[in-house]
Amino acid sequence: RQINNSFLEVKKSKFYGYLYEIDSIKEVKLILKGLKEDNKGYRHIPYAYYFNNTAGKSDDKEPGNISISFLNNLERNNLKNHLIAVVRFYGGTKLGASNLSRTYGKCASTCINK
């Protein structure tokens, strides 16, 4: 079930963050499938999750190990059995690796700390 969401826009790129409480790893796949279906035209959906003693992540071909920061954020906030995902829509202007990483991180943090 979705707990929080967030939104950032940087140079016309849009970032939508989603935080979910999960009951199984199988649920992660279903949520990601739903995000892809609900966000036609998205460019990337990096994510990270903790479930029991298992962690998983994907940068979805974005540079900078973005999903590691998501995982660290979940751990720092003691969010076991949670998934954080950020959907990005490309706005036509490259943000650069460090700005891109910072924006993803801020979107995830905002979603977690709401």
Side-chain angles (χ1 to χ4, degrees):
R1 88 184 150 87
Q2 186 178 325
I3 297 172
N4 274 335
N5 58 48
S6 60
F7 172 76
L8 282 175
E9 185 170 345
V10 176
K11 294 184 180 178
K12 296 185 182 175
S13 281
K14 294 179 169 101
F15 297 80
Y16 296 87
Y18 300 94
L19 179 66
Y20 296 89
E21 190 170 5
I22 56 174
D23 296 320
S24 69
I25 292 174
K26 188 177 184 179
E27 191 177 359
V28 170
K29 292 176 184 173
L30 293 172
I31 290 168
L32 292 172
K33 183 180 179 200
L35 285 173
K36 289 173 183 177
E37 290 171 356
D38 293 344
N39 291 284
K40 300 291 185 205
Y42 76 92
R43 183 59 69 97
H44 301 279
I45 306 178
Y47 67 88
Y49 67 86
Y50 268 117
F51 183 73
N52 291 336
N53 293 324
T54 304
K57 63 181 180 54
S58 170
D59 293 326
D60 195 20
K61 300 178 186 166
E62 287 283 51
N65 292 320
I66 289 160
S67 61
I68 293 273
S69 70
F70 291 2
L71 212 49
N72 290 339
N73 211 331
L74 289 173
E75 187 175 37
R76 199 171 34 252
N77 288 283
N78 199 27
L79 293 171
K80 305 291 185 206
N81 303 338
H82 284 77
L83 161 71
I84 182 83
V86 177
V87 178
R88 177 185 180 205
F89 290 87
Y90 182 61
T93 303
K94 291 190 177 190
L95 303 180
S98 63
N99 194 22
L100 183 65
S101 184
R102 203 171 24 257
T103 303
Y104 270 116
K106 185 176 180 182
C107 188
S109 291
T110 300
C111 192
I112 288 171
N113 296 314
K114 246 184 174 180

